[in-house]
Amino acid sequence: MLSAATLGMAIYGAYSVVAGLIDLLGRSGGEVLVDLGLVAFGLILLLAAAFVRVVIPGGLALAIGALLGLQALSIYSDFHIAGSVAPAPQLVRAGYALVLVGLAHFGARAEGARVRSKADGGG
């Protein structure tokens, strides 16, 4: 579970960085600060994915912060470009983030239980 969460966060972070850079350099109509925000939050999510994988305290909180930042930028972009927020894409994005956080949380708990079991002399 932990590996799946890490991979999902890394893919989402890399996608955000690439999409932000393409929009920033290609000037396809997005705002500069939104594009820079996508790049920044994507890089933070990539870093947080590594922290989540090695179960560093605060890694999951950092990932949640980056995911919330990306969600906020998405809502802002939808409202700014279209004039309204389409609920379906936002719900899919939020659902994906919830699945990633759930996988990371329960994967870290399972990893901790496995390590404690080995430390107690279990196999």
Side-chain angles (χ1 to χ4, degrees):
M1 281 193 287
L2 204 53
S3 296
T6 302
L7 185 61
M9 287 179 189
I11 289 171
Y12 191 15
Y15 166 77
S16 297
V17 169
V18 170
L21 287 175
I22 288 173
D23 196 34
L24 183 66
L25 299 176
R27 297 301 317 147
S28 63
E31 290 187 9
V32 173
L33 289 178
V34 173
D35 298 335
L36 292 175
L38 279 174
V39 172
F41 283 122
L43 290 173
I44 291 170
L45 188 57
L46 279 169
L47 178 67
F51 288 172
V52 164
R53 180 62 187 107
V54 295
V55 194
I56 290 179
L60 184 57
L62 184 63
I64 291 170
L67 290 167
L68 286 173
L70 289 170
Q71 183 75 30
L73 286 174
S74 176
I75 290 171
Y76 173 80
S77 295
D78 277 1
F79 189 76
H80 186 71
I81 292 171
S84 66
V85 177
Q90 296 304 327
L91 290 174
V92 169
R93 185 182 301 263
Y96 182 67
L98 283 174
V99 167
L100 290 177
V101 169
L103 283 172
H105 173 71
F106 292 114
R109 287 183 65 181
E111 183 79 14
R114 189 175 58 83
V115 168
R116 282 189 300 275
S117 173
K118 281 187 178 182
D120 291 340

